[in-house]
Amino acid sequence: MGDRHLKPSLELAEQVQAQPGDKLSYRTWSRSDNDLSEHHVIYVGNGQVVHYNDDQHIVVKAWLSQVTAGGRTEPVNLKGTFVTYSQAEVVTRAERLVGHSYRYDLMFSNCQNFANWCQTGKEQTGGTQVMTYIMGLGTVAVVVFILHHFLK
């Protein structure tokens, strides 16, 4: 990886007080979603992050400043009663999957699910669980409406 990203990556990590094993998020343009979205990465130290690249469908290691490309970056603290791995184990879990390819899915296989798994062993925490529940209810409501409308 190019050294030109080392200094800006270290400066950004210091600015957000990132520690190895932290989950960071930032706003970025996603070609796969064709929209501005929040991207999640695991900071592994020395200005580098491991993340699921939603566009390439692969887990990669990259410079923090390179992947954020000027987006507002902030640490993400998991809320709730999630059992998390030690910071060192989070880094190990993330780095162990570098190079693995996965099918992208907006709800179940994306950068947030990858980062959650690295920290907790579970792909869905907090917001994604709620969103899955809401989408499930929405699907049921649509089916009930269609059945009610057409079975009159």
Side-chain angles (χ1 to χ4, degrees):
M1 295 199 295
D3 287 338
R4 66 187 173 99
H5 292 287
L6 175 60
K7 185 177 180 192
S9 293
L10 289 173
E11 289 172 351
L12 180 55
E14 185 178 330
Q15 176 187 339
V16 298
Q17 300 175 340
Q19 297 297 312
D22 283 352
K23 180 165 97 169
L24 306 175
S25 73
Y26 59 92
R27 304 285 289 170
T28 186
W29 184 262
S30 171
R31 285 192 299 265
S32 57
D33 296 332
N34 198 28
D35 195 5
L36 189 63
S37 63
E38 190 171 90
H39 191 66
H40 298 262
V41 301
I42 297 293
Y43 183 71
V44 295
N46 298 320
Q48 297 177 322
V49 297
V50 172
H51 67 109
Y52 178 76
N53 184 309
D54 295 338
D55 294 327
Q56 297 175 346
H57 313 292
I58 192 168
V59 177
V60 297
K61 188 172 189 178
W63 294 108
L64 178 59
S65 66
Q66 189 177 19
V67 297
T68 61
R72 192 180 96 219
T73 305
E74 55 192 38
V76 176
N77 295 317
L78 293 175
K79 294 175 176 55
T81 55
F82 300 105
V83 177
T84 59
Y85 294 99
S86 70
Q87 298 291 89
E89 183 63 17
V90 171
V91 171
T92 299
R93 290 168 66 83
E95 289 183 326
R96 189 173 45 214
L97 290 180
V98 170
H100 282 72
S101 180
Y102 296 95
R103 181 183 59 82
Y104 174 80
D105 182 282
L106 178 63
M107 292 302 300
F108 303 108
S109 182
N110 57 48
C111 61
Q112 184 176 14
N113 297 125
F114 169 76
N116 288 343
W117 178 85
C118 290
Q119 286 191 318
T120 69
K122 298 177 181 179
E123 293 180 346
Q124 295 186 351
T125 57
T128 53
Q129 285 179 326
V130 170
M131 186 63 126
T132 302
Y133 179 74
I134 290 171
M135 288 191 71
L137 286 178
T139 302
V140 169
V142 168
V143 169
V144 168
F145 174 78
I146 290 171
L147 289 174
H148 177 73
H149 181 71
F150 290 107
L151 295 178
K152 278 187 174 182

